[in-house]
């Protein structure tokens, strides 16, 4: 594992293979501001947390055009972003990553104003417990694809949480994701809008739904729900929230 402490570092066109650590970040551990990582791949790296990358309490991080394949960790199989602000996180591909416990691909906890995750693909990632692909807090999600991700417990594809900032989930596709409980997408402790998304062939084996809401206020509009299956609770389940469903099929 490589530790980065210098500010303004650029890493480009690099392959990280078989890196390992007993701590955070099997390939890269970033403790600096304004780091930029682009056009690179991360394969078969492993760590206790953040199998490929761990970035903690940093500003100005840029991740773009990166691919993460078969990375593993006890928690957060590929990328851990914690307390990150003013970041640009887009055009990432996560394929076949696996966490023994929680979060099969990416955990992104934003700091300050709501951050954004966009134009990413999450395919065939798994978690032995919760969050088959992605856990975000204080982060908007836009134009992402979640395909065939699996959680042995709750939330197969995406879990969204926040404090005071309202969040949006827009223009994203959820296909063939599988969880034992709760939902394909979970929204808790947040004001949020879910717009122009497609939910197709997702399954929750026990009590669950395509979207599980336990939040302050959530508006779900202009979405398509097709052939989703749940043991109970239907397509959208409002556990505790002020919610609206508008113009959805």
């Amino acid at each position: 594992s490589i530790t980065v402490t210098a500010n303004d570092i650029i890493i480009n066109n690099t392959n990280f293979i078989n890196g390992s650590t007993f701590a955070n970040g099997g390939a890269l551990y970033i403790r600096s501001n304004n780091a930029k990582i682009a056009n690179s791949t991360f394969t078969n790296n492993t760590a206790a947390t953040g199998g490929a990358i761990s970035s903690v309490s940093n500003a100005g991080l840029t991740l773009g055009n990166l691919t993460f394949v078969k990375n593993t960790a006890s928690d957060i199989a590929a990328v851990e972003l914690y307390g990150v602000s003013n970041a640009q996180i887009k055009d990432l591909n996560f394929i076949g990553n696996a966490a023994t416990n929680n979060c099969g691909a990416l955990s992104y906890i934003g700091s300050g104003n709501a951050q954004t995750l966009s134009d990413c693909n999450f395919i065939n990632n798994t978690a032995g417990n919760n969050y088959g692909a992605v856990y975000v807090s204080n982060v908007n999600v836009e134009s992402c694809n979640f395909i065939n991700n699996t959680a042995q417990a709750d939330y197969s594809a995406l879990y969204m949480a926040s404090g005071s900032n309202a969040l949006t989930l827009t223009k994203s596709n959820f296909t063939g994701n599988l969880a034992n409980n709760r939902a394909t997408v979970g929204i808790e402790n947040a004001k949020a809008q879910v717009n122009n998304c497609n939910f197709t062939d997702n399954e929750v084996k026990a009590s669950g739904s395509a979207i599980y809401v336990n939040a302050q206020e959530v508006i779900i509009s202009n979405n398509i729900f097709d052939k989703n299956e749940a043991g109970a609770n239907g397509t959208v389940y409002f556990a505790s929230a002020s919610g609206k469903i508008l113009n959805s099929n």
Side-chain angles (χ1 to χ4, degrees):
S1 177
I2 299 171
T3 299
V4 178
T5 58
N7 291 333
D8 304 307
I9 192 167
I10 296 175
I11 298 173
N12 193 34
N13 292 318
T14 303
N15 297 321
F16 296 87
I17 303 171
N18 297 329
S20 66
T21 180
F22 292 109
N24 297 55
L28 290 174
Y29 181 47
I30 303 170
R31 293 301 305 268
S32 62
N33 294 323
N34 303 316
K36 182 177 181 179
I37 306 168
N39 308 310
S40 298
T41 62
F42 296 78
T43 306
N44 290 331
N45 301 284
T46 188
T49 304
I53 295 176
S54 177
S55 179
V56 178
S57 300
N58 304 321
L61 177 67
T62 298
L63 301 181
N65 194 26
L66 304 177
T67 298
F68 302 88
V69 180
K70 294 184 178 179
N71 300 283
T72 59
S74 294
D75 292 287
I76 312 172
V79 177
E80 175 194 25
L81 307 178
Y82 181 83
V84 174
S85 61
N86 301 319
Q88 298 182 48
I89 313 297
K90 63 184 299 184
D91 297 316
L92 309 181
N93 298 296
F94 296 81
I95 303 167
N97 302 284
T100 305
N101 296 316
N102 299 312
C103 197
L106 167 69
S107 175
Y108 185 1
I109 298 175
S111 178
N113 296 328
Q115 306 297 297
T116 299
L117 173 70
S118 65
D119 301 292
C120 296
N121 299 303
F122 301 90
I123 302 169
N124 293 331
N125 303 287
T126 62
N129 197 15
N130 301 320
Y131 323 125
V134 177
Y135 176 105
V136 297
S137 179
N138 198 34
V139 174
N140 299 310
V141 178
E142 178 180 347
S143 301
C144 292
N145 298 306
F146 298 82
I147 301 170
N148 296 337
N149 301 287
T150 301
Q152 294 299 320
D154 302 344
Y155 309 117
S156 58
L158 173 65
Y159 177 91
M160 303 181 73
S162 179
S164 59
N165 292 317
L167 301 180
T168 59
L169 169 58
T170 60
K171 300 178 183 177
S172 295
N173 300 305
F174 299 84
T175 305
N177 300 287
L178 174 65
N180 275 320
N181 295 292
R182 283 293 172 91
T184 304
V185 173
I187 302 172
E188 295 197 85
N189 303 316
K191 292 183 178 180
Q193 295 189 20
V194 181
N195 304 319
N196 300 302
C197 295
N198 297 310
F199 295 82
T200 306
D201 290 324
N202 301 288
E203 181 180 357
V204 180
K205 289 185 176 181
S207 178
S209 55
I211 302 176
Y212 174 91
V213 178
N214 184 9
Q216 301 169 39
E217 181 180 86
V218 175
I219 299 174
I220 297 171
S221 63
N222 299 304
N223 302 286
I224 295 174
F225 299 92
D226 185 26
K227 298 178 183 177
N228 300 287
E229 296 184 13
N233 295 337
T235 300
V236 179
Y237 178 58
F238 289 92
S240 176
S242 172
K244 298 179 181 179
I245 300 176
L246 307 171
N247 303 317
S248 296
N249 298 312

